[in-house]
C-alpha cells in the first residue's frame, strides 16, 4: 500500500512510500482510509521528525477487518477514528476504543475533520464548566478547534469574543455568534473564562482581562514562543485567577467521537473545512496549514475517498 512518510524538508514535509499493510493488534480494526485531516501541531512534528514517525491521527473510512477480540464495529461499517499515528495511508490500524460508527448522513470528509479538533473542543468546554451567561474569550480562534468551541459555546449561552488574525479568518466565527476582534488588546473584558492557545506575549495580556477569581485555560502555544509572567503586574487585575494547563489527550476517544457524530447529525455542529483536495496535495496543504493560510480544517482524500 501507499503511505505518506516524513521527509525532514520544510518545503515538502511528506512524500509517498510503499509500505506493508498494517497488522492490527487484537483490539484494533483495519480501516481502509477514505479521508484524513492533518492538524497544525502535526506540521510542527514534521519539522524534526523522530525515528519511526508515521503521521496521521484523524481519519474516516471503512472497516475491512474487524478486531480479533470481538470489540468494535464489523466489516463494512463506516467509521471515524483517532489512531495514535499512521493515518495518512491507504490502510490504518485503529484501536476500537478510538472509533465511532458514522451515520448515513455524514460523509467521510466531515467525519475526518472531527477527531482531534472536536475532541479538544468538547474536553476544553467541560474543563471550563457551565458557560450559560458567562463572558468567554477565545484566542487563536480561526482553526478547527476554535470553530467547534465557538459554535458549542455560543449554543450553550456564552457571550464569546474570538480573536483572529484577519477579518477573513473571523467571518464564519461571526456568523456563529461570536464577537470577533483582530487584536487581543481590543478584547473588552473582564471575562469569566479565557481559553488561550497562543502563548508568547498574548497570555499575559489576556490574563489581565480575566475577572478576579476567574479561569484561564491554557491549551496551546501556537506562537511557538514561551510565556513570561510578572508577579507584580498581576496584582492589580488578576487577583485569584486560576491558570489551568490543558491537553486533550487520553483514550478512549470513541465516546467523544460518537458525541461529535451525533451533534453533526442533529445539525448542532458544522465542521468548518477550508480545503478539500486529493492526498497528492498533502505536502502543499501541510505548508499552508502551518503558515495559517487555511481557515478551519483541511481534508485530504485517498483513492477511495475521491
Amino acid at each position: 500500500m501507499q503511505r505518506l512518510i516524513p521527509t525532514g524538508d520544510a518545503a515538502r514535509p511528506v512524500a509517498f512510500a510503499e509500505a506493508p499493510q498494517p497488522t492490527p493488534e487484537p483490539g484494533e480494526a483495519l480501516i481502509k482510509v477514505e479521508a484524513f485531516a492533518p492538524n497544525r501541531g502535526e506540521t510542527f512534528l514534521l519539522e524534526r521528525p523522530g525515528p519511526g514517525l508515521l503521521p496521521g491521527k484523524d481519519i474516516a473510512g471503512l472497516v475491512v477487518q474487524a478486531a480479533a477480540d470481538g470489540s468494535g464495529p464489523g466489516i463494512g461499517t463506516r467509521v471515524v477514528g483517532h489512531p495514535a499515528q499512521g493515518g495518512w495511508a491507504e490502510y490504518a490500524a485503529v484501536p476500537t476504543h478510538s472509533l465511532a460508527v458514522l451515520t448515513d448522513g455524514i460523509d467521510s470528509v466531515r467525519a475526518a475533520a472531527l477527531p482531534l479538533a472536536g475532541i479538544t473542543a468538547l474536553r476544553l468546554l467541560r474543563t471550563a464548566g457551565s458557560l450559560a451567561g458567562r463572558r468567554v474569550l477565545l484566542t487563536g480562534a480561526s482553526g478547527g478547534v476554535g470553530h467547534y468551541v465557538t459554535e458549542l459555546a455560543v449554543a450553550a449561552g456564552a457571550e464569546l469574543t474570538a480573536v483572529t488574525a484577519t477579518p477573513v479568518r473571523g467571518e464564519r466565527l461571526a456568523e456563529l455568534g461570536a464577537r470577533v476582534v483582530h487584536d487581543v488588546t481590543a478584547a473588552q473584558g473582564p471575562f469569566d473564562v479565557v481559553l488561550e492557545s497562543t502563548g508568547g506575549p498574548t497570555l499575559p495580556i489576556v490574563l489581565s482581562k480575566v475577572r478576579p477569581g476567574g479561569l484561564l485555560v491554557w491549551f496551546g502555544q501556537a506562537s511557538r514562543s514561551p510565556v513570561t509572567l510578572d508577579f507584580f503586574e498581576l496584582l492589580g487585575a488578576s487577583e485569584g485567577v486560576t491558570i489551568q494547563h490543558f491537553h486533550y489527550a487520553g483514550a478512549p476517544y470513541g465516546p467523544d467521537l460518537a458525541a461529535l457524530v451525533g451533534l453533526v447529525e442533529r445539525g448542532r455542529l458544522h465542521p468548518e473545512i477550508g480545503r478539500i483536495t486529493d492526498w497528492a496535495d498533502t505536502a502543499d496543504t501541510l505548508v499552508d496549514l502551518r503558515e495559517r493560510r487555511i481557515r478551519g480544517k483541511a481534508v485530504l482524500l485517498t483513492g477511495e475517498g475521491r
Side-chain angles (χ1 to χ4, degrees), residues 49-195:
L53 175 65
L54 296 175
K57 297 174 71 67
D58 292 0
I59 70 166
L62 192 71
V63 176
V64 294
Q65 181 179 326
D69 67 0
S71 63
I75 293 174
T77 306
R78 296 177 59 248
V79 294
V80 57
H82 190 53
Q85 64 170 2
W88 300 354
E90 291 183 285
Y91 294 89
V94 184
T96 56
H97 61 59
S98 295
L99 289 171
V101 174
L102 294 176
T103 58
D104 292 339
I106 301 179
D107 57 79
S108 294
V109 170
R110 287 185 296 160
L114 289 173
L116 190 148
I119 294 167
T120 299
L122 284 181
R123 296 182 175 186
L124 189 61
L125 292 174
R126 289 175 192 145
T127 298
S130 175
L131 295 180
R134 304 180 81 188
R135 303 191 72 225
V136 179
L137 177 63
L138 173 65
T139 65
S142 60
V145 174
H147 282 86
Y148 289 139
V149 166
T150 297
E151 186 166 14
L152 294 173
V154 170
E159 180 186 332
L160 187 135
T161 298
V163 184
T164 69
T166 65
V168 170
R169 293 181 69 82
E171 286 176 354
R172 177 59 178 155
L173 298 169
E175 292 174 2
L176 292 171
R179 178 176 185 268
V180 179
V181 299
H182 311 298
D183 186 327
V184 69
T185 61
Q188 297 179 2
F191 295 96
D192 300 294
V193 178
V194 170
L195 306 175

